[in-house]
Amino acid sequence: MYFLLLFFGFLAGITTVLFGFGGGFVVVPVLYSVLLATHGGSAVGDAAMHVAVATSTCVMIFGAGLATMRHHKAGTVPWDQVRPLLGYIAVGAIPGAAAALALSGDWVRWAFIFYLGLTILDSILRPGFTQETAARIRPWGRWMTAAAGTAIGAIAAFLGVGGSVMTVPLMRRRGASMTAATAAANPLSLPMAVVGSSTYALLAWNDAPLGAWHAGYIDLRACAVLAVGSWLGIRATSRWIGRIPDTIHAKAYITLLCVVLLVMLVA
């Protein structure tokens, strides 16, 4: 189990650096499947989706933080676009995580699948996502910043996937390159990851009797192994920051979303 998680943590590190996924699109379906296979019928198995989402959110603190440092050193993070959103994302993460805890694991799983499907369709059908864009990013308005930031935090914490599935399409529509859009997704995932992890741990502390190696719904051992794998993946792929052609980068992003959707449908 742990060698498997180490491998998929490595893949999560790659997607974090190159696509801003924060690891959630890899970690959630994999950990959900592993927990069902190894703990089916137990309290952990019954809470598999909640544990997967909460653990993924916690892993993101490490992965998104390290990827942010790598992108910052490479000069690819559009900080003027990122900073205004950070506080709103943190605020939105609290009700998002609380809502996930209030619903059954099946509801969270199908919400994950539904949102992923919408994002794929929007990226394919809306003109411009797979086309090379202008270098200048159009600025956000004040109310758009508040609404978008709060929604990103709530949805990302609810699904445990980081902000990439929302921030990358949004920034592409505002003229960002894929490099800038995916670079921005990492720091924007950090406030959600910190607030969401704290919420998952504190609100479920007494409601989730899952064993000594759990902080609420967070599986601490799985989290540690995934974090190590993520660090290895980030180290291995940081050299590719800014080197992938824009249109190929965009098409690869959509392809990976389709792979994750397929995994969740058959899990």
Side-chain angles (χ1 to χ4, degrees), residues 125-223:
L125 299 177
R126 186 186 294 268
F129 188 88
T130 58
Q131 300 171 357
E132 191 165 354
T133 59
R136 186 177 182 278
I137 306 173
R138 296 188 298 278
W140 297 81
R142 179 180 177 184
W143 293 108
M144 180 61 178
T145 299
T150 304
I152 289 168
I155 295 171
F158 181 81
L159 301 178
V161 297
S164 172
V165 71
M166 288 150 285
T167 57
V168 170
L170 282 171
M171 293 196 71
R172 285 292 279 179
R173 290 181 205 129
R174 305 196 73 78
S177 67
M178 278 299 294
T179 297
T182 54
N186 285 302
L188 290 176
S189 292
L190 277 172
M192 181 284 299
V194 172
V195 175
S197 296
S198 301
T199 304
Y200 280 121
L202 295 174
L203 293 185
W205 196 276
N206 295 321
D207 298 332
L210 304 179
W213 288 99
H214 290 78
Y217 280 115
I218 299 172
D219 186 325
L220 298 176
R221 287 180 294 190
C223 184

Side-chain angles (χ1 to χ4, degrees), residues 12 42 56 83 173 246:
S42 67
S56 167
R83 290 189 185 95
R173 290 181 205 129
D246 195 70

